[in-house]
Amino acid sequence: MKAAALLFALAGTLAASAAVAKDVTLLNASYDPTRELYQDLNAAFAAQWKARHGDTVTVRMSHGGSGKQARSVVDGLPADVVTLALAYDIDALADRGLLAKDWQQRLPDASSPYTSTIVFLVRKGNPKGIRDWPDLIKPGVQVITPNPKSSGGARWNFLAAWGYALKQPGGNEARARAFVRELYRHVPVLDTGARGATNTFAQRGIGDVLLAWENEALLAQRELGKGKFEIVMPSVSILAEPPVAVVDRNAQAHGTRAVAEAYLQFLYTPLAQALAARHFYRPRSAQVAQQYAAQFPRVTTFTIGELFGDWRQAQAKFFADGAIFDQLGPGR
Amino acid sequence: MARRLLPGYGLSLGYTLAWLGLIVLLPLAALLWKATGIGMHGLLALLASPRTLAALKLSFGGALVAALVNAAVGLLVAWVLVRYRFPGRRLFDALIDLPFALPTAVAGIALTALYAPNGWLGRWLAPLGIQVAYTPLGVLVAMAFVGFPFVVRTLQPVLASLDRGVEEAAHSLGARPAQTFVRVILPVLAPALLTGFALALARAVGEYGSVIFIAGNIPLRSEIAPLLIVQKLEQFDYAGAAAVGIAMLVFSLLLLVLIGLLQRWSGRWAERAA
């Protein structure tokens, strides 16, 4: 609430100081690992908007866990746009009337301008010889992944493992259950979020393999010492699609709809796509992807839509109270 | 009518009640209101689930043990700080408040770094087969850490005002040191000790930030009740989250009432001893 008041006050001062050109402020509620990405994207968008329209756009950021950010918007955080880790969290906003139910059809590529995938981060030299998903359930291998019930990002990890098992020859629901059950038996610590899990793996030295978003794994490799960790790309993984949307009700109230829409469309331009790639997110644009091909090895991926219908269904089937994760998870 | 220190009985009482209502009762009312969505049936099902029970058991059991440890160690530390003069005493005294000032996440990460199998302490404990981080024992350590200052700070003023003449009298009447402690000193300290214990307990029950890093958070094993609340919120299940919150609140209230009764009883004990 205080932040909101401060923001209004700030917006007010900015508006008052505007003489000729219009000053616009957008608030983007995003999840944690996009901090550096949006710093660059916002600057690039502001420069482009200024050149085209003469107006100054300031995009303010709010970062936090994806689910927490969605709840903040539900509870009144006046975000004009949300850029979160999974569609389920934006669906929750749509359920409460903050934006149209068909929000995911409003932008190309299921409203996800950049993607990532789930990879394995292993220790230097890959001492346990981890090459693919079945290696994770070998005796003596410990896997670090956050709790999918408290981390939106970790739900992609769970679904990646499930999807792998399903896609094997003769794969079916029962086999997927068995594989995932065994996998979570190898998890000694269930952190509440992705950064916590990275910390447990990298700093505390727990576990042999960290299930991570590719962008986080690449970042960890760069930040925590190039020689200390290696990235292993599994044979098949999930296409993680972090979606973006204009929060209709807030944009309407602030009169920022046009800018907010332009901001999100900007994310699909070659300039923004290259910035995304530089921050280790896989670009949607084939041309930009070509330029960064060395950074992103080829991997076979499946989407939520292909295997699970949509996020609402996946959430209900796997992560609701008493659903599959509760039946199979560690501690059982 | 007795002269009152504060002017305007009505005014000051009004402010007190309004403030109490705003800061304490209003949020509690909101909690109750949010929980109504779950219904009686849902509430009972939630409370009967093994996961909720295990989490509540860990949160309250852990907090009780941590508060007991704090009461014992806190008494010792308060005694040393009040009764003895040694170099660095003031520094030690100032350090006691550190768990209050430290952001809980920092405390949690620091404790985990210490007790993890590759940590300064953890690496010596691991060969002995003792694992602290990522087990219920780690939860206890974090709870003891955050609750520690309460016992020391509530006991210090009482200890400082304790008349040493009473101890000398007991001694001259032939009481052994242990007798003097149990029959003369402890009754006077008991109310403050219980207050410190209650505060440490309450703090540990609700602690999230520091515990979450060291707990391991494995369902049924090392998952604390506040984590269940966070997980429910992650599913936008406000009613379920509020229901767990209310269960914790009711337990806490019962515990605090119990401690209040103990305190009254110990007050009478002190009077008898005096």
Side-chain angles (χ1 to χ4, degrees):
Chain A
M1 230 36 242
K2 216 160 91 190
L6 201 74
L7 214 91
F8 278 129
L10 244 152
T13 349
L14 284 171
S17 66
V20 192
K22 222 166 49 170
D23 282 352
V24 192
T25 305
L26 289 181
L27 178 63
N28 177 357
S30 195
Y31 64 112
D32 267 325
T34 60
R35 209 173 290 265
E36 295 81 10
L37 168 66
Y38 274 102
Q39 245 168 33
D40 286 0
L41 285 173
N42 293 345
F45 176 68
Q48 197 189 71
W49 190 262
K50 180 103 187 164
R52 288 203 187 147
H53 305 271
D55 298 341
T56 306
V57 181
T58 314
V59 185
R60 308 198 159 275
M61 298 302 300
S62 162
H63 290 279
S66 187
K68 190 199 139 266
Q69 291 298 81
R71 281 198 306 284
S72 297
V73 176
V74 166
D75 293 338
L77 180 75
D80 303 278
V81 299
V82 284
T83 52
L84 298 177
L86 64 168
Y88 173 69
D89 288 332
I90 302 186
D91 282 337
L93 299 183
D95 288 345
R96 284 155 184 82
L98 284 148
L99 71 165
K101 293 250 184 203
D102 67 343
W103 63 270
Q104 209 163 4
Q105 273 88 59
R106 296 196 297 202
L107 286 166
D109 301 318
S111 288
S112 301
Y114 40 80
T115 66
S116 192
T117 188
I118 303 303
V119 302
F120 306 157
L121 195 68
V122 299
R123 301 193 188 281
K124 185 187 176 181
N126 195 359
K128 297 268 165 120
I130 286 155
R131 296 271 159 255
D132 201 1
W133 291 100
D135 299 325
L136 302 185
I137 57 169
K138 280 186 182 159
V141 173
Q142 285 195 320
V143 182
I144 301 297
T145 177
N147 190 337
K149 302 217 26 156
S150 59
S151 159
R155 275 170 234 167
W156 294 101
N157 300 5
F158 179 101
L159 295 176
W162 187 275
Y164 157 77
L166 217 51
K167 288 206 149 242
Q168 293 318 292
N172 57 30
E173 186 103 6
R175 293 207 173 171
R177 282 180 90 102
F179 177 72
V180 169
R181 178 199 295 270
E182 193 53 35
L183 176 64
Y184 278 88
R185 290 223 169 115
H186 288 251
V187 177
V189 180
L190 271 183
D191 280 289
T192 52
R195 285 274 155 103
T198 307
N199 195 41
T200 298
F201 178 76
Q203 311 290 347
R204 301 287 81 77
I206 307 279
D208 305 298
V209 53
L210 173 75
L211 298 189
W213 284 49
E214 183 183 44
N215 61 299
E216 285 278 279
L218 285 165
L219 191 71
Q221 212 182 25
R222 194 183 69 185
E223 301 289 316
L224 303 169
K226 188 107 186 153
K228 282 166 77 179
F229 305 103
E230 291 171 21
I231 292 174
V232 173
M233 193 66 70
S235 62
V236 56
S237 192
I238 198 164
L239 186 71
E241 298 173 296
V244 302
V246 173
V247 183
D248 294 340
R249 198 195 279 169
N250 292 345
Q252 214 77 46
H254 306 158
T256 48
R257 169 170 283 286
V259 189
E261 276 171 0
Y263 176 61
L264 294 188
Q265 274 150 14
F266 166 77
L267 301 177
Y268 291 85
T269 61
L271 171 62
Q273 291 282 299
L275 283 174
R278 215 173 295 160
H279 287 281
F280 307 126
Y281 281 95
R282 291 188 177 225
R284 288 285 196 180
S285 147
Q287 280 158 322
V288 177
Q290 198 81 54
Q291 289 165 30
Y292 286 86
Q295 185 176 309
F296 301 115
R298 287 175 60 89
V299 55
T300 311
T301 57
F302 53 86
T303 64
I304 293 280
E306 282 162 34
L307 286 194
F308 309 104
D310 60 25
W311 258 108
R312 275 176 210 276
Q313 292 171 36
Q315 177 74 26
K317 179 172 177 182
F318 295 103
F319 308 117
D321 277 348
I324 289 178
F325 180 76
D326 279 351
Q327 297 160 23
L328 303 180
R332 308 278 135 176
Chain B
M1 198 172 156
R3 262 169 52 89
R4 292 203 168 84
L5 205 56
L6 286 175
Y9 170 72
L11 195 66
S12 51
L13 184 70
Y15 268 123
T16 310
L17 289 182
W19 191 244
L20 191 72
L22 194 70
I23 298 293
V24 180
L25 296 181
L26 198 63
L28 290 186
L31 185 66
L32 276 175
W33 180 71
K34 280 274 185 198
T36 51
I38 195 171
M40 207 57 205
H41 186 74
L43 182 69
L44 290 178
L46 177 71
L47 292 183
S49 88
R51 214 154 145 226
T52 316
L53 285 179
L56 286 173
K57 209 171 115 194
L58 179 61
S59 272
F60 282 91
L64 267 172
V65 176
L68 279 173
V69 170
N70 274 335
V73 180
L75 175 59
L76 190 68
V77 170
W79 183 271
V80 168
L81 286 176
V82 169
R83 284 296 171 92
Y84 301 125
R85 292 290 170 273
F86 54 92
R89 188 183 65 93
R90 277 171 189 283
L91 180 71
F92 271 111
D93 196 59
L95 285 179
I96 303 284
D97 286 330
L98 220 55
F100 277 157
L102 211 59
T104 52
V106 176
I109 290 170
L111 287 172
T112 312
L114 274 179
Y115 287 102
N118 69 353
W120 288 354
L121 287 172
R123 81 179 58 175
W124 303 107
L125 292 172
L128 306 174
I130 304 172
Q131 209 194 334
V132 179
Y134 314 121
T135 68
L137 192 58
V139 175
L140 253 162
V141 169
M143 284 176 165
F145 178 82
V146 295
F148 180 64
F150 290 103
V151 177
V152 180
R153 287 298 181 241
T154 47
L155 279 177
Q156 268 179 324
V158 184
L159 270 172
S161 65
L162 210 61
D163 186 0
R164 284 203 199 198
V166 180
E167 282 165 60
E168 281 158 21
H171 179 68
S172 70
L173 290 172
R176 289 186 304 275
Q179 267 179 324
T180 310
F181 182 75
V182 174
R183 314 268 302 256
V184 178
I185 297 173
L186 207 55
V188 184
L189 290 184
L193 192 60
L194 279 169
T195 303
F197 173 78
L199 289 172
L201 176 75
R203 173 67 201 270
V205 164
E207 179 60 20
Y208 178 76
S210 60
V211 174
I212 221 65
F213 288 96
I214 201 169
N217 307 323
I218 304 293
L220 299 173
R221 207 184 309 153
S222 53
E223 203 173 52
I224 54 169
L227 177 61
L228 283 192
I229 297 181
V230 171
Q231 291 181 5
K232 300 234 177 272
L233 288 176
E234 205 62 30
Q235 300 167 52
F236 302 93
D237 178 7
Y238 289 75
V244 178
I246 283 172
M248 293 186 70
L249 209 65
V250 170
F251 279 127
S252 303
L253 207 65
L254 285 178
L255 272 174
L256 292 178
V257 166
L258 198 71
I259 291 167
L261 287 176
L262 268 176
Q263 230 162 1
R264 272 176 58 185
W265 172 76
S266 74
R268 285 205 293 275
W269 182 36
E271 272 167 38
R272 270 208 312 276

